[in-house]
DNA sequence: TGTACATCAGTGAACGCGCGTTCACTGATGTAC
DNA sequence: TGTACATCAGTGAACGCGCGTTCACTGATGTAC
């Protein structure tokens, strides 16, 4: 039942995308190869035509999911012209910390996979660290004016990016953690962080 | 081989403590009942004399680990007299965000278990939410002056507690996630957050 | 362009393994008299 | 207090199940001529 190279490449890509989604929802260990393949519309036996092991797929999925996240941040905020960037960043934060994003099946990989990543092998941890670096860089570009900055300003921007990221990730993580058992607390966490970040207490385009 | 009630109760307590440690390190699904029992110095068969299922133990371990964390925060910070509390809080933050704490086998349950908790059943999620509530309350008492506060002040303290917690949890989570693959970045994250929190950018006893 | 054959993506049964859980058994503890 | 017996924490083999992975097989694709 050989298929065309293009179809095979499409299948592979679909497996990685499906994996990105399922791993994000249920963790690496929460999704079996068989589940995954059937979710991608295939039977489990063919998995090893595409990937040497489940771990290889985990790494590929990790890459994909971070690329998507960083690309969205760059497209929606970092690449905006100076006049629009501050508003775009505020918008981004509001969406990140929204009830809708908390309830979404797929969320920020740093929220969904941090704990899984620490417990996995070097390959996954490598990709994860790369992803965080990329995300932090994009975040830095999202909260600073364009053009060259004095070194002192660069440091300040970097510190703000790190602080904002920590608060975003921690906030969403906690909001998701308590959501089912205490929706009011979950909403309170999101709302509080939205207003704190809006007030520029954590980071802003102005600094 | 019946043993005294006291010995049995001691065994049970040791199982829960061992579980708290191992679940924290490897996640709920990363530790088997047999691993756990042998780490506690027992054979796996006896597990069900103490717990109806692994999930029951997970809930008990969740309780224990949160109780310990909240108790430490209360003892070391919240219960200090007014004059010492600000310094105690600064100290607490510095320890929380220290390289030593990042590298410790057992860390803050919100960092270690958030993702696991979301994916578990209602019993665990319930305990987790309770734990977060307790921790936030203790944190509120840790960053405010004692005595009655105006409602406006109460709200501000609450918002600061939430913001500080999100930054602490997110920061430690990220620092742990990238540690093995990028130690420099991991250290940078911790250092940045320490100085941001020290500067009162996130929360302080003064506000 | 047409033909012959090797390649390889996909299929589904099967493998070994580790897991949570159950079981029959042991023998000291706890209790009833 | 002493005796007889039921209780139950601990033991280790065994269970069923799901997992990651392997396998023999299929048949359309890709390629060599």
């Amino acid at each position: 039942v050989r298929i065309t190279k293009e179809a095979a490449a499409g299948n592979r890509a679909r497996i990685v995308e499906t994996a990105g989604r399922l791993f994000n929802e249920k963790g690496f260990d929460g999704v079996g190869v068989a589940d995954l393949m059937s979710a991608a519309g295939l039977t489990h036996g063919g998995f090893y035509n595409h990937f040497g092991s489940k771990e290889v797929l985990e790494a590929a999925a990790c890459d994909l999911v971070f690329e998507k996240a960083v690309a969205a941040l760059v497209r929606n905020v970092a690449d905006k012209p100076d006049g629009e960037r501050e508003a775009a960043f505020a918008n981004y934060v509001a969406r990140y910390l929204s009830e809708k994003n908390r309830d979404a099946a797929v969320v920020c990989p740093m929220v969904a996979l941090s704990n899984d990543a620490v417990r996995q092998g070097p390959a996954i941890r490598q990709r994860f660290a790369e992803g965080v670096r990329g995300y932090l860089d994009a975040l830095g570009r999202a909260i600073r004016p364009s053009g060259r900055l004095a070194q002192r300003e660069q440091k300040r921007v970097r510190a703000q990016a790190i602080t904002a990221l920590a608060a975003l990730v921690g906030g969403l993580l906690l909001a998701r953690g308590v959501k089912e058992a205490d929706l009011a607390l979950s909403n309170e966490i999101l709302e509080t962080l939205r207003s704190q970040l809006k007030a520029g207490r954590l980071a802003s385009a102005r600094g």
Side-chain angles (χ1 to χ4, degrees), chain A:
Chain A
V1 202
R2 188 178 191 181
I3 60 176
T4 63
K5 282 182 175 181
E6 288 74 23
N11 283 346
R12 193 197 139 101
R14 209 170 59 254
I15 296 170
V16 178
E17 268 181 66
T18 306
R21 183 163 45 83
L22 293 183
F23 287 155
N24 194 301
E25 285 179 51
K26 310 188 183 182
F28 291 132
D29 293 348
V31 187
V33 168
D35 302 337
L36 215 145
M37 290 296 279
S38 97
L42 296 164
T43 51
H44 66 278
F47 179 82
Y48 295 87
N49 293 327
H50 295 291
F51 308 96
S53 71
K54 194 190 176 191
E55 197 186 359
V56 172
L57 171 67
E58 289 171 359
C62 203
D63 273 347
L64 177 71
V65 91
F66 263 108
E67 270 165 29
K68 277 188 186 174
V70 173
L73 178 56
V74 167
R75 176 169 16 88
N76 294 331
V77 188
D79 274 358
K80 294 281 180 190
D82 269 26
E84 304 172 23
R85 197 152 59 254
E86 192 169 349
F89 177 68
N91 205 305
Y92 188 82
V93 167
R95 260 187 289 129
Y96 192 104
L97 293 171
S98 67
E99 280 80 4
K100 193 180 167 199
N101 190 41
R102 174 198 61 196
D103 300 340
V106 173
V107 295
C108 169
M110 286 171 281
V111 170
L113 295 180
S114 276
N115 264 321
D116 281 26
V118 216
R119 296 164 185 156
Q120 299 295 323
I124 277 88
R125 294 199 304 243
Q126 187 67 41
R127 315 296 176 105
F128 186 83
E130 256 171 57
V132 174
R133 273 199 299 270
Y135 204 91
L136 267 177
D137 290 347
L139 208 51
R141 289 173 49 209
I143 61 175
R144 56 162 257 172
S146 59
R148 292 191 67 83
L149 262 56
Q151 199 174 342
R152 187 184 178 80
E153 285 299 287
Q154 281 180 30
K155 285 204 171 179
R156 195 179 49 77
V157 164
R158 176 72 174 175
Q160 283 186 346
I162 288 174
T163 310
L165 185 63
L168 287 171
V169 168
L172 187 53
L173 187 81
L174 290 171
R176 278 164 51 95
V178 304
K179 176 193 156 194
E180 296 292 333
D182 192 340
L183 187 58
L185 176 59
S186 179
N187 290 340
E188 185 195 3
I189 291 171
L190 294 177
E191 204 176 329
T192 301
L193 287 169
R194 282 197 303 261
S195 74
Q196 292 282 97
L197 280 146
K198 202 182 293 174
R201 273 184 169 272
L202 293 173
S204 75
R206 290 220 192 87

